[in-house]
Amino acid sequence: MTVESTAAARKPRRASKRTSAAKKPQSSEPQLVQLLTPEGERVEHPDYSIDLSADELRGLYRDMVLTRRFDAEATALQRQGELGLWASLLGQEAAQIGSGRALRDDDYVFPTYREHGVAWCRGVDPTNLLGMFRGVNHGGWDPTTNNFHLYTIVIGSQTLHATGYAMGVAKDGADSAVIAYFGDGASSQGDVAESFTFSAVYNAPVVFFCQNNQWAISEPTERQTRVPLYQRAQGYGFPGVRVDGNDVLACLAVTRSALERARRGEGPTLVEAFTYRMGAHTTSDDPTKYRADDERAAWEAKDPILRLRTYLEKEKLADEAFFTGLETESETLGKRVREVVRAMPDPEPLSLFEHGYADGNSLVDEERAQFSAYQASFADSAEEGK
Amino acid sequence: MAVEKMSIAKALNESLRLALDTDPKVLIMGEDVGKLGGVFRITDGLQKDFGEDRVIDTPLAESGIVGTAIGLALRGYRPIVEIQFDGFVFPAYDQIVTQLAKMHARALGKIKLPVVVRIPYGGGIGAVEHHSESPEALFAHVAGLKVVSPSNASDAYWMMQQAVQSDDPIIFFEPKRRYWDKGEVDTESIPGPLHKAVTVREGSDLTLVAYGPMVKVCLEAAAAAQEEGKSVEVLDLRSMSPIDFDAIQTSVEKTGRLVVVHEAPVFYGSGAEIAARITERSFYHLEAPVLRVGGYHVPYPPARLEDEYLPGLDRVLDAVDRSLAY
């Protein structure tokens, strides 16, 4: 049997399996907005032009490389038992850095729990993101410092917070915008539908940025929708656009355009960044159990970092010193993250009773006093034993 | 002194008007709260006077109402949202429990969520399904929320003011069958704290604890018991989370007997919490076990059966007799 005939024999079997598992929706591959091909070629798009300096292009590359390095370190730290869980962004760097770099300082971000690249763009110290995954807090950073809200674990909830916040922005007469991140799985949630309704009827300055990474834990996008996600927007009365989520330039251009539209008072936009989660949903699941081996390989060819590097090298926009310098910087970042995480102390036991309420609560006071006395009883008996 | 006799509905309306007038960051949101003034007219005339930007008619989506109110609070606003009826709060329950209640703690205290969720609750108005429930225990059980319910016009007026000024999310249960009960409201007097219980009738033989719609029933029961020579004290709890256990303890250690009355099902209800804590605190002062009077472990019944379900004068007096018989 020849190699060719083996491949031919396999092909229909695989196709029929896919059909029975989940039928592909019609027109699942509509045109993506793309400005940089997987081969690293710059292409033009009639609606989304972008003109970046070499410095800016190198900046985007640096952001993606450092974000990936941080993510890899966090994954390793989880494997070493330093983190309880990690939600990797591997493969989604372009979607996050492109959209993140489109934001202005006075814009406000509502992330899920995977927006490590967006946090990076907002100037949130990456080590701050690890507290919740280590189990020392549920977020911990001050969202108002960087206009980057806390991670939201219940999927889709934050799209309503973003909408309400944007309604407030409009009431204030400010010209900033709000961006809500969510995934293809969250698109099935009622809260996302309600946020589309509210933002449309109140004309709220919000951009819905859906990272369609093809998988909601083990459920494929086909289990979330029968039409391409970006087309949902039409039914609510605002534009939707699908962008190549592995093309950092296109993500930047499309998000920037949507944000400007919001600032002009023209209301919401849905951006669907068509991308791929290269790793597991979190370190708790095993993608080999639910997706085909060749799928990841196909997406590796579209790697967001590789394609920008190819472009930078081909156009001589970055020299060898830049790349080696960045490598050193990456290692320094990884080392710092490792050290900070390992040194992260467990919270004080009595902090259990802090921050439940802003104005205090007599019940909490009572329980705190009881717990405190209980704790102190151990100290007493220890001293007596001496 | 500015004392005026008004219904609970009117007191709430006046209080909301004052809140809108005092603080430009206060917003009212909900289904039909604008032109209609709400199905119970609690927001009557407010949109006319404060505009559509302050009194906001929303799409018919409860999760959306609470979820966007959270976003507005994060932007510095103080939204007061109306859920049309008790049984319709559940589509918003996720946003209230997983987001509104937790966000302050999640941010280690760095952000505040001053949102008031108004819920007309309880039975006795002959309504259809989902319009008569008392889900307060479901909210009181959630850390991060505070849960209150006024029983009279004065409390309706002042507790709403205090709820709006609170930096914590407040679930504000309005006893809908008492909306039209009138009482005196002193709009200039300085009220006591929001979460303090109030002794609404002094007595020495037994303590009745109630809140919201059942306070009136308990006062009637105490008056009836008086005719039989029994001296019953009545405490209006006002706040179901936190609970003013000190006030209950003081009363119980005077009377030696406690009966807790509420419309909600007895099983896992606020009466259970009060009975357990008071037993712990005042074990040697109790002359009888703490008794509870409330709804049954059944879905809220059709209107023609609700008089059987809701605790009335006789059921409260029966519990009083049982307690005194120990």
Side-chain angles (χ1 to χ4, degrees):
Chain A
M1 199 185 268
T2 65
V3 173
E4 220 176 307
S5 66
T6 311
R10 269 190 195 149
K11 213 173 180 180
R13 208 170 66 208
R14 196 178 295 144
S16 67
K17 192 180 166 193
R18 173 165 286 226
T19 309
S20 63
K23 279 185 186 172
K24 276 267 183 196
Q26 288 177 348
S27 62
S28 66
E29 300 281 338
Q31 278 206 317
L32 299 166
V33 176
Q34 192 176 72
L35 298 175
L36 188 66
T37 69
E39 295 74 35
E41 299 286 339
R42 270 288 272 121
V43 288
E44 294 302 320
H45 189 281
D47 302 325
Y48 300 99
S49 65
I50 197 160
D51 186 18
L52 298 176
S53 67
D55 217 27
E56 289 169 316
L57 288 165
R58 283 194 300 269
L60 293 172
Y61 182 78
R62 175 178 172 273
D63 288 337
M64 290 198 289
V65 167
L66 293 180
T67 300
R68 181 171 288 187
R69 181 66 187 83
F70 163 70
D71 187 73
E73 191 60 44
T75 303
L77 284 164
Q78 195 281 331
R79 296 302 184 218
Q80 292 160 16
E82 298 286 348
L83 300 176
L85 184 80
W86 182 244
S88 168
L89 68 23
L90 185 65
Q92 297 177 225
E93 295 87 354
Q96 296 196 12
I97 300 301
S99 60
R101 285 295 175 210
L103 296 161
R104 250 171 33 186
D105 283 351
D106 61 336
D107 294 337
Y108 205 97
V109 180
F110 286 88
T112 67
Y113 41 76
R114 201 192 296 283
E115 269 65 75
H116 322 312
V118 186
W120 172 267
C121 294
R122 300 306 285 174
V124 177
D125 186 320
T127 58
N128 280 350
L129 306 174
L130 298 170
M132 70 182 287
F133 293 100
R134 189 170 169 86
V136 301
N137 58 44
H138 293 312
W141 62 90
D142 182 347
T144 59
T145 306
N146 305 82
N147 279 7
F148 184 78
H149 193 67
L150 299 162
Y151 278 1
T152 300
I153 293 179
V154 178
I155 62 170
S157 293
Q158 74 283 0
T159 58
L160 279 169
H161 310 156
T163 300
Y165 194 96
M167 287 162 65
V169 168
K171 280 184 190 305
D172 294 343
D175 79 334
S176 49
V178 180
I179 189 164
Y181 287 86
F182 61 106
D184 43 309
S187 74
S188 299
Q189 286 280 353
D191 276 0
V192 172
E194 293 188 23
S195 69
F196 287 178
T197 297
F198 274 67
S199 63
V201 302
Y202 295 119
N203 206 41
V206 58
V207 174
F208 296 104
F209 194 91
C210 176
Q211 289 169 85
N212 177 359
N213 67 13
Q214 313 302 323
W215 292 93
I217 308 189
S218 70
E219 305 288 356
T221 312
E222 289 89 337
R223 275 291 151 92
Q224 316 298 334
T225 183
R226 297 294 296 163
V227 298
L229 287 173
Y230 77 98
Q231 287 180 5
R232 292 251 180 106
Q234 194 184 0
Y236 292 89
F238 55 87
V241 55
R242 180 179 273 186
V243 60
D244 182 341
N246 287 19
D247 173 354
V248 70
L249 302 186
C251 288
L252 174 59
V254 167
T255 312
R256 189 180 274 174
S257 163
L259 290 164
E260 281 164 4
R261 185 174 179 278
R263 289 185 217 295
R264 288 195 302 268
E266 292 170 30
T269 303
L270 170 61
V271 177
E272 179 193 358
F274 203 77
T275 182
Y276 190 71
R277 187 190 84 210
M278 300 294 279
H281 164 69
T282 69
T283 43
S284 290
D285 68 312
D286 174 8
T288 63
K289 289 179 84 83
Y290 55 80
R291 63 190 190 191
D293 298 341
D294 55 355
E295 190 180 284
R296 183 180 155 134
W299 277 92
E300 269 169 6
K302 303 177 191 176
D303 187 279
I305 296 185
L306 202 61
R307 78 170 73 173
L308 185 55
R309 182 174 182 132
T310 307
Y311 177 66
L312 290 173
E313 286 176 339
K314 200 161 47 189
E315 299 296 321
K316 303 203 185 331
L317 296 165
D319 56 15
E320 198 48 38
F322 168 75
F323 293 111
T324 50
L326 189 51
E327 223 163 276
T328 312
E329 198 181 350
S330 288
E331 285 320 302
T332 308
L333 174 67
K335 187 164 176 279
R336 180 167 77 85
V337 166
R338 201 158 56 240
E339 283 168 2
V340 172
V341 165
R342 285 183 173 155
M344 244 178 225
D346 285 352
E348 288 298 316
L350 270 170
S351 70
L352 259 177
F353 299 94
E354 283 171 29
H355 308 309
Y357 293 89
D359 292 344
N361 183 307
S362 56
L363 175 63
V364 177
D365 293 344
E366 188 183 323
E367 293 187 348
R368 183 195 290 111
Q370 286 166 356
F371 179 77
S372 188
Y374 174 70
Q375 290 278 86
S377 72
F378 285 101
D380 289 348
S381 58
E383 271 166 31
E384 279 163 22
K386 273 178 194 169
Chain B
M1 280 265 279
V3 182
E4 202 182 323
K5 198 160 187 184
M6 59 178 94
S7 66
I8 288 181
K10 177 72 176 163
L12 288 167
N13 180 270
E14 289 291 331
S15 190
L16 293 171
R17 174 177 293 278
L18 177 63
L20 286 164
D21 214 22
T22 309
D23 184 352
K25 292 293 186 186
V26 169
L27 304 171
I28 288 176
M29 304 168 63
E31 297 161 10
D32 307 305
V33 297
K35 279 203 179 71
L36 180 66
V39 290
F40 290 104
R41 311 291 183 269
I42 305 301
T43 56
D44 197 26
L46 298 179
Q47 190 183 66
K48 184 171 149 280
D49 295 340
F50 294 95
E52 291 179 14
D53 277 347
R54 303 283 309 282
V55 182
I56 306 164
D57 274 323
T58 64
L60 272 72
E62 285 78 7
S63 189
I65 294 168
V66 174
T68 53
I70 290 170
L72 281 156
L74 293 172
R75 180 71 192 178
Y77 287 87
R78 303 184 85 86
I80 306 169
V81 309
E82 176 176 305
I83 300 294
Q84 210 154 55
F85 283 92
D86 35 64
F88 302 149
V89 73
F90 296 106
Y93 196 63
D94 168 39
Q95 281 287 345
I96 293 172
V97 171
T98 69
Q99 307 301 323
L100 184 62
K102 307 276 167 62
M103 220 177 262
H104 177 74
R106 202 176 285 154
L108 299 179
K110 285 161 193 139
I111 50 175
K112 289 172 179 151
L113 279 301
V115 177
V116 179
V117 181
R118 292 181 41 234
I119 309 176
Y121 82 120
I125 63 162
V128 295
E129 199 184 8
H130 312 305
H131 289 69
S132 306
E133 297 169 14
S134 299
E136 63 271 15
L138 296 173
F139 294 89
H141 195 62
V142 177
L145 301 176
K146 289 178 177 174
V147 183
V148 301
S149 178
S151 71
N152 58 68
S154 176
D155 274 354
Y157 183 87
W158 284 111
M159 286 170 72
M160 179 59 74
Q161 288 302 304
Q162 293 165 324
V164 175
Q165 283 155 23
S166 168
D167 282 332
D168 286 315
I170 306 274
I171 312 299
F172 196 99
F173 280 103
E174 298 172 3
K176 70 170 89 82
R177 70 164 140 151
R178 306 286 180 226
Y179 268 148
W180 304 279
D181 287 6
K182 286 191 173 174
E184 285 188 345
V185 179
D186 183 343
T187 54
E188 285 172 9
S189 75
I190 299 163
L194 181 59
H195 303 288
K196 276 267 178 248
V198 170
T199 306
V200 288
R201 182 188 172 103
E202 299 268 356
S204 53
D205 297 338
L206 180 143
T207 302
L208 280 177
V209 165
Y211 50 83
M214 294 315 294
V215 172
K216 187 176 180 179
V217 175
C218 287
L219 283 170
E220 286 167 2
Q226 187 72 56
E227 287 172 22
E228 297 168 9
K230 299 162 194 160
S231 171
V232 172
E233 182 149 301
V234 181
L235 236 65
D236 181 351
L237 204 54
R238 299 165 81 245
S239 173
M240 287 87 86
S241 177
I243 286 176
D244 185 357
F245 289 112
D246 291 345
I248 307 173
Q249 183 179 355
T250 303
S251 177
V252 166
E253 290 184 5
K254 181 173 73 170
T255 65
R257 288 180 168 83
L258 175 62
V259 176
V260 190
V261 184
H262 51 62
E263 284 190 22
V266 164
F267 189 63
Y268 275 94
S270 41
E273 179 57 43
I274 292 167
R277 294 244 180 199
I278 290 303
T279 304
E280 219 177 295
R281 283 184 177 218
S282 309
F283 188 69
Y284 294 108
H285 293 85
L286 286 168
E287 305 285 342
V290 180
L291 300 181
R292 292 168 289 161
V293 183
Y296 304 108
H297 193 54
V298 297
Y300 193 90
R304 295 296 175 129
L305 273 177
E306 70 179 340
D307 284 347
E308 306 301 324
Y309 173 90
L310 292 170
L313 190 61
D314 289 340
R315 274 175 63 199
V316 175
L317 286 171
D318 181 61
V320 168
D321 289 346
R322 276 194 291 139
S323 178
L324 286 167
Y326 274 93

